[in-house]
Amino acid sequence: MIRRPPTVVCYICGREYGTKSIAIHEPQCLKKWHNENNLLPKELRRPEPKKTEVRSIIAKGFYDLDALNEAAWTSAQSQLVPCNICGRTFLPNRLIVHQRSCKPRVAK
Ligand SMILES: [Zn+2]
Ligand SMILES: [Zn+2]
């Protein structure tokens, strides 16, 4: 088994950070999220991502980092919006760029 330093998944962007740097990253990431969300057309705006409730995991009697990360990852994934042409999922600002070049598949 390979031991690696514990990392925490950011519930906003889904990237992994060290247990110390996540505390610095999260408020910045949320701020960035709000800036980007405000720039999006109304139909692509999303509700603010929900921070994973750590206490409910600790309440089980142990600090389950894997469960926490899985929940954070799911939260970050729910930020993705499916393309209504090809069905692939993108971050809303990426989707706008993508849809400029996405062509509907010709039905056979
Ligand atoms: Zn983040
Ligand atoms: Zn597409």
Side-chain angles (χ1 to χ4, degrees), residues 83-88 90 95 98-99 102-103:
C83 169
N84 55 16
I85 303 165
C86 68
R88 283 162 68 198
F90 298 88
L95 180 68
H98 162 80
Q99 283 191 332
C102 185
K103 301 233 162 52

Side-chain angles (χ1 to χ4, degrees), residues 71-87:
W73 191 82
T74 307
S75 166
Q77 290 305 300
S78 70
Q79 295 292 301
L80 301 176
V81 184
C83 169
N84 55 16
I85 303 165
C86 68

Side-chain angles (χ1 to χ4, degrees), residues 10-28:
C10 170
Y11 72 101
I12 306 153
C13 67
R15 284 192 293 241
E16 285 183 42
Y17 291 88
T19 46
K20 284 200 182 80
S21 49
I22 187 80
I24 304 156
H25 168 78
E26 254 182 27
Q28 291 173 346

Side-chain angles (χ1 to χ4, degrees), residues 51-72:
K51 190 172 164 62
T52 315
E53 193 51 78
V54 180
R55 261 170 296 165
S56 65
I57 290 164
I58 293 174
K60 283 190 220 159
F62 58 95
Y63 190 82
D64 191 342
L65 196 62
D66 284 339
L68 183 67
N69 280 344
E70 203 183 298

